[in-house]
Amino acid sequence: MQLTNTLLTNTLLTIVCALMGLAWGLICGLLPRKNDRLTDGQQRWIPVLSLIGVGLVVILILLERDLASWVTIGGMILGLLIGMIPPLHKVALKALPWLRPRTDDRGRKRG
């Protein structure tokens, strides 16, 4: 019975971490690539997103959850790649206005 509970716990932890990594990667993949295209709100959240992503992986490593940490990293990479697919990127930006790039000329370099 104890082995079953441990296996179930490890499996659930791995699945939850994979989904969190995927969500993190999608958000990061949908954000504008260039700093001058980021809105003020997006610029404030970039350090928080970085801290969450790195913190999650470091905590899993310190807890010796190797499979969960690797699956989380894989989910992050997959999310980034999915977020950069142009048709999906356009649809997501229509659905999530917070992720849209800055549309004014503020912050752009002068030519």
Side-chain angles (χ1 to χ4, degrees), residues 36-74:
D36 63 345
R37 300 288 302 190
L38 291 170
T39 65
D40 294 334
Q42 292 168 343
Q43 288 176 350
R44 281 191 297 270
W45 276 98
I46 292 287
V48 175
L49 286 172
S50 301
L51 184 65
I52 290 170
V54 171
L56 177 61
V57 173
V58 168
I59 288 171
L60 290 171
I61 291 170
L62 291 175
L63 292 174
E64 297 180 1
R65 304 291 185 172
D66 294 336
L67 178 62
S69 64
W70 282 110
V71 169
T72 302
I73 293 168

Side-chain angles (χ1 to χ4, degrees), residues 11-110:
T11 304
L12 287 175
L13 178 70
T14 303
I15 291 170
V16 167
C17 289
L19 292 175
M20 288 173 62
L22 185 66
W24 182 92
L26 278 171
I27 291 170
C28 290
L30 292 171
L31 286 171
R33 298 281 157 262
K34 296 180 180 179
N35 282 340
D36 63 345
R37 300 288 302 190
L38 291 170
T39 65
D40 294 334
Q42 292 168 343
Q43 288 176 350
R44 281 191 297 270
W45 276 98
I46 292 287
V48 175
L49 286 172
S50 301
L51 184 65
I52 290 170
V54 171
L56 177 61
V57 173
V58 168
I59 288 171
L60 290 171
I61 291 170
L62 291 175
L63 292 174
E64 297 180 1
R65 304 291 185 172
D66 294 336
L67 178 62
S69 64
W70 282 110
V71 169
T72 302
I73 293 168
M76 290 174 169
I77 293 169
L78 182 62
L80 278 169
L81 295 175
I82 290 172
M84 289 191 269
I85 297 173
L88 296 177
H89 190 85
K90 286 182 183 179
V91 169
L93 292 184
K94 286 181 184 177
L96 303 168
W98 183 82
L99 295 170
R100 291 182 189 150
R102 176 182 302 224
T103 54
D104 61 4
D105 288 335
R106 221 176 79 199
R108 289 207 178 172
K109 295 180 181 175
R110 294 181 193 168

